[in-house]
Structure formats: structure tokens, C-alpha cells
């Protein structure tokens, strides 16, 4: 196996083993020593690929948010002939499925033990606001709005509301973390942002 391919394989193994241990034992309870021991590697091998265990979780976060954004943009394109409110409802539903599917990882990412929450917030808001802006522009081109005209700031506001709701849903011990409960909570946010915005037919 070529040297570069071997390096990529080692990084992938460290990445996957770390995520498995974080889920099994809790992020704060896993040390770099435990990660490398589970793979029969040295700490030097770990640091060759990652500067810290937090770097692993942040890389994973960037990956899943990018995948989510691409999936949402594809859905927007697929539904662009629909009313923008219908598109927005579909996007919120897709985000609720994302929360359910990635719940264990999101709970780790948004926990107090991870020190990069501000950066994670920016990544989510920046990426999701792109999706929402696309939807708002579709509605604007069809004059689906009332007096209010949405803007880039509107999209960021909606994305920020979504982020804080996702964080609350993941960290709350009082909420059932199932598809129905999370969908209902995100529907409440949808009502907030759509009320007074769309012309209902």
C-alpha cells in the first residue's frame, strides 16, 4: 500500500475509533491514550493526524453539516416549483430527521466539555442560512410575501433560531429525542418565522 494511502487509512481508523469511544464512554471520559491503545498505535501517530481529540469532533461536525447543507440544497432544487412555504416545511422536516439521526453526536458536540461551541454555531448558521436564503428568494420572485421583504439577514435569523432550538433539543433531559417530538418542536419555530411572512391562499 502506498505511503499516502496508508496515512489516510490510519487517520480514518483514528477518526472512527474516537467517535465510537466518545459514544460509548462519553467525550470527557475518553483520553488520547485510550484511543491509540484501542488501535495499537502510538500517541505520535495520533498527533500526526489530529492536534487534539476536540479536532476530531470538530472535523466530524464540519462533515455532517456540509452533507446536510448539500442534501437540503438538493431538496430545494427538487421542490422549487412548489410554494416556498411548502419548501420551507420540507427543509425543517429534513433538519428534524438530521437531529434524530445524529442525536448522540450532536449531544457531544454541543456539550459543555467541547470548547468550540461558538465556532460550531457559526458553521451551522452560515451553511443553513444559504439554504434558507435560496427558499426566500424563490418566494420573493413569485411575490409570495406580504409587506415584509426577506433578506440575507432574515435567513441568518432563521438559521440562528434553528441552531438554538437544535442545541436545546439535544441538551434537554425533559424532551423525548424521537422523530415526532423533535419535528413538533421545529414546527413551532417554523410557525414563528413564517407568521406574517407568507401570503396564505
Amino acid at each position: 500500500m502506498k505511503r499516502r494511502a496508508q496515512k489516510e487509512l490510519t487517520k480514518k481508523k483514528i477518526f472512527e475509533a474516537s467517535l465510537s469511544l466518545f459514544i460509548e464512554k462519553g467525550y470527557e471520559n475518553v483520553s488520547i491514550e485510550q484511543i491509540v491503545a484501542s488501535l495499537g498505535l502510538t500517541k505520535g501517530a495520533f498527533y500526526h493526524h489530529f492536534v487534539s481529540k476536540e479536532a476530531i469532533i470538530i472535523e466530524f461536525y464540519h462533515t455532517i453539516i456540509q452533507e446536510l447543507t448539500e442534501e437540503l440544497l438538493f431538496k430545494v432544487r427538487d421542490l422549487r416549483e412548489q410554494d416556498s412555504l411548502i419548501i420551507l416545511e420540507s427543509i425543517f422536516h429534513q433538519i428534524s430527521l438530521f437531529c434524530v439521526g445524529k442525536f448522540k453526536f450532536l449531544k457531544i458536540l454541543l456539550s459543555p466539555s467541547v470548547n468550540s461551541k461558538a465556532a460550531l454555531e457559526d458553521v451551522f448558521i452560515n451553511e443553513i442560512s444559504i439554504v434558507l436564503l435560496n427558499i426566500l428568494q424563490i418566494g420573493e420572485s413569485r411575490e409570495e410575501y406580504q409587506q415584509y421583504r426577506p433578506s440575507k439577514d432574515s435567513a441568518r435569523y432563521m438559521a440562528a433560531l434553528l441552531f438554538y432550538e437544535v442545541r436545546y433539543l439535544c441538551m434537554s433531559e425533559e424532551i423525548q429525542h424521537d422523530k415526532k417530538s423533535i419535528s413538533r418542536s421545529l414546527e413551532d419555530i417554523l410557525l414563528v418565522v413564517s407568521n406574517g411572512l407568507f401570503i396564505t391562499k
Side-chain angles (χ1 to χ4, degrees), residues 59-77:
E59 181 173 320
F60 179 71
Y61 180 81
H62 278 263
T63 300
I64 62 173
I65 295 300
Q66 183 177 16
E67 289 174 354
L68 174 65
T69 303
E70 290 172 358
E71 184 180 324
L72 296 179
L73 286 171
F74 178 82
K75 186 167 283 292
V76 171
R77 288 192 294 270

Side-chain angles (χ1 to χ4, degrees), residues 35-50:
I35 294 169
V36 295
S38 72
L39 294 168
L41 298 174
T42 64
K43 288 178 73 174
F46 179 94
Y47 286 118
H48 180 75
H49 297 286
F50 300 100

Side-chain angles (χ1 to χ4, degrees), residues 41-155:
L41 298 174
T42 64
K43 288 178 73 174
F46 179 94
Y47 286 118
H48 180 75
H49 297 286
F50 300 100
V51 296
S52 65
K53 67 174 189 175
E54 187 179 63
I56 293 172
I57 212 78
I58 291 172
E59 181 173 320
F60 179 71
Y61 180 81
H62 278 263
T63 300
I64 62 173
I65 295 300
Q66 183 177 16
E67 289 174 354
L68 174 65
T69 303
E70 290 172 358
E71 184 180 324
L72 296 179
L73 286 171
F74 178 82
K75 186 167 283 292
V76 171
R77 288 192 294 270
D78 192 47
L79 297 174
R80 67 177 301 109
E81 299 305 318
Q82 301 286 336
D83 289 345
S84 51
L85 180 55
I86 292 174
I87 303 173
L88 196 61
E89 288 172 345
S90 178
I91 292 305
F92 272 61
H93 175 68
Q94 202 67 31
I95 292 173
S96 71
L97 294 180
F98 167 77
C99 291
V100 173
K102 303 296 185 185
F103 168 72
K104 291 180 180 178
F105 293 111
L106 291 171
K107 191 172 178 67
I108 292 171
L109 284 157
L110 301 172
S111 69
S113 53
V114 176
N115 297 318
S116 300
K117 287 184 288 301
L120 300 182
E121 177 180 337
D122 285 343
V123 169
F124 184 97
I125 292 173
N126 289 338
E127 293 296 320
I128 300 303
S129 65
I130 293 170
V131 178
L132 298 176
L133 184 60
N134 271 263
I135 300 170
L136 296 178
Q137 288 172 339
I138 289 171
E140 188 171 26
S141 69
R142 298 175 185 162
E143 298 184 345
E144 292 178 352
Y145 303 122
Q146 303 198 39
Q147 295 295 323
Y148 175 69
R149 284 293 176 268
S151 63
K152 189 173 182 180
D153 288 340
S154 306

